[in-house]
């Protein structure tokens, strides 16, 4: 491992990651304490993403908010303050403005927010793209990010389980609870702190999907609470039926398929 920047360094560089790294689906969960150390892993970054944003922040004295450590051989394009201002500053300012407009105009949670407040979070929202069939979040995985759908369609799939005679948890079936499209939100457990801090369901991309993702470490809860975001996100969140209801729905569906002569082997129906 090699440390790229320290958390108390000055504003001397902006880095563009240019190495093929593991896919974003393999990101480490945010806010997971490392063993035998006081350091905390906030996020894992991949090719095409940027770090060292302190160089582009307004203000005279800007300092690193975290240290960055490589996990494998990595190539970076490193820019100093002057180089950043001559090349990428306007590009990133334009990109942040586009994100502000998306949040303000398309996501219900932010329609009543003041532009200056949205601007504070837009900088931390990363645009993510997913191919059809990609699992974006996993049921039971640590809820470490909140997602706002820009475009595309996702499936909300919940695995229904039960305990067998030996006390082991057994997965019975996967049930499609609903579908979400542009302007909708998922990963609300991250902000609401529900379900023990883990995702209630898995989210799969049905079509090509583009989202804005904000990690839990980047959420200013005071700012969000001050704009009544909790109530709005609750209204937008998926209303999950009881697992017994989902299981009964699945059983009814399987029986209908059997009566129609369609072979089903995912779940035994007496």
């Amino acid at each position: 491992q090699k440390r790229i920047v320290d958390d108390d360094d000055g504003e001397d560089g902006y880095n563009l990651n240019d190495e093929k790294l593991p896919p974003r689906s393999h990101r480490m969960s945010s806010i997971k304490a490392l063993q035998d150390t006081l350091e905390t892993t906030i996020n894992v970054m991949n090719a095409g993403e940027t770090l060292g944003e302190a160089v582009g922040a307004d203000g005279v004295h800007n300092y690193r908010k975290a240290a960055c450590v490589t996990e494998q051989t990595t190539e970076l394009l490193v820019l100093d303050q002057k180089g950043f201002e001559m090349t990428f500053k306007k590009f990133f300012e334009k990109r942040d403005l586009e994100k502000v407009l998306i949040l303000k105009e398309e996501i219900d949670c932010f329609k009543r927010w003041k532009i200056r407040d949205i601007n504070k979070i837009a900088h931390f929202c990363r645009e993510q793209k997913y191919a059809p069939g990609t699992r974006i979040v996993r049921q039971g995985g640590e809820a470490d990010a909140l997602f706002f759908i820009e475009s595309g369609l996702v499936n909300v799939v919940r695995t229904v389980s039960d305990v067998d005679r030996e006390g082991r948890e057994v997965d019975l079936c996967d049930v499609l609870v609903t579908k979400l499209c542009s302007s909708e939100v998922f990963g609300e457990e991250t902000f609401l702190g529900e379900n023990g801090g883990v995702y209630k369901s898995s989210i799969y991309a049905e079509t090509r999907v583009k989202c804005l993702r904000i990690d839990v470490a980047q959420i200013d809860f005071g700012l969000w609470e001050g704009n009544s975001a909790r109530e709005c996100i609750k209204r937008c969140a998926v209303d999950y039926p009881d697992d017994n209801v989902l299981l009964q729905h699945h059983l009814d569906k399987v029986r209908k398929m059997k009566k129609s002569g369609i072979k089903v082997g995912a779940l035994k129906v007496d």
Side-chain angles (χ1 to χ4, degrees):
Q1 290 186 339
K2 182 178 179 182
R3 189 174 294 266
I4 302 173
V5 297
D6 289 312
D7 51 9
D8 58 353
D9 282 348
E11 46 179 328
D12 60 351
Y14 199 90
N15 306 311
L16 294 174
N17 199 335
D18 191 32
E19 177 74 8
K20 289 185 177 180
L21 298 179
R24 287 187 174 88
S25 60
H26 294 163
R27 285 177 182 273
M28 293 177 64
S29 298
S30 297
I31 312 300
K32 180 175 288 185
L34 302 179
Q35 289 185 342
D36 303 323
T37 178
L38 295 178
E39 293 183 338
T40 297
T41 299
I42 301 298
N43 196 8
V44 175
M45 305 183 70
N46 299 276
E49 297 187 276
T50 60
L51 56 97
E53 64 277 2
V55 74
D58 294 331
V60 179
H61 301 293
N62 297 313
Y63 296 92
R64 306 290 186 192
K65 297 179 180 179
C68 297
V69 182
T70 59
E71 292 192 347
Q72 63 183 65
T73 302
T74 304
E75 294 181 0
L76 300 171
L77 171 63
V78 183
L79 298 176
D80 59 15
Q81 178 81 40
K82 184 178 179 180
F84 173 79
E85 291 180 349
M86 291 176 61
T87 54
F88 289 100
K89 185 175 183 179
K90 289 187 177 179
F91 167 77
F92 285 111
E93 287 176 346
K94 180 182 178 182
R95 187 180 66 175
D96 284 349
L97 177 59
E98 291 172 347
K99 289 187 286 188
V100 168
L101 294 176
I102 291 171
L103 293 172
K104 178 69 174 177
E105 296 179 3
E106 298 183 18
I107 309 299
D108 287 341
C109 296
F110 300 103
K111 290 189 181 296
R112 296 186 179 181
W113 283 44
K114 295 178 180 178
I115 293 295
R116 68 170 180 267
D117 286 344
I118 298 178
N119 192 56
K120 291 177 182 177
I121 69 169
H123 179 71
F124 297 109
C125 288
R126 295 183 177 275
E127 189 172 81
Q128 309 273 263
K129 297 179 181 179
Y130 303 95
T134 302
R135 186 179 67 187
I136 303 173
V137 303
R138 176 181 61 84
Q139 178 177 329
E142 185 176 358
D144 59 356
L146 182 63
F147 298 81
F148 307 100
I149 304 175
E150 287 187 62
S151 62
L153 185 67
V154 302
N155 293 326
V156 180
V157 178
R158 181 164 176 80
T159 300
V160 178
S161 60
D162 199 358
V163 178
D164 64 14
R165 295 177 181 178
E166 297 180 3
R168 295 173 301 183
E169 186 170 333
V170 179
D171 292 341
L172 299 178
C173 61
D174 293 330
V175 182
L176 175 62
V177 179
T178 189
K179 299 187 179 188
L180 303 174
C181 59
S182 58
S183 301
E184 296 192 276
V185 180
F186 63 89
E188 65 277 358
E189 301 90 344
T190 303
F191 181 75
L192 299 178
E194 298 177 342
N195 201 46
V198 299
Y199 292 118
K200 297 178 182 177
S201 61
S202 296
I203 307 293
Y204 293 89
E206 180 171 316
T207 64
R208 291 188 179 276
V209 174
K210 184 163 63 172
C211 297
L212 288 179
R213 165 188 172 136
I214 183 167
D215 293 329
V216 64
Q218 308 290 3
I219 296 177
D220 181 343
F221 285 89
L223 176 66
W224 288 57
E225 293 286 7
N227 283 279
S228 302
R230 179 174 296 274
E231 292 74 14
C232 184
I233 290 178
K234 278 187 175 181
R235 290 197 301 270
C236 297
V238 174
D239 186 13
Y240 289 90
D242 183 81
D243 276 0
N244 290 329
V245 175
L246 293 175
L247 179 58
Q248 186 60 53
H249 169 77
H250 182 78
L251 290 170
D252 291 343
K253 182 178 179 180
V254 170
R255 289 191 180 98
K256 288 180 180 179
M257 293 173 67
K258 280 192 167 185
K259 287 181 179 179
S260 300
I262 302 174
K263 291 184 179 180
V264 289
L267 179 65
K268 182 180 178 180
V269 182
D270 295 327

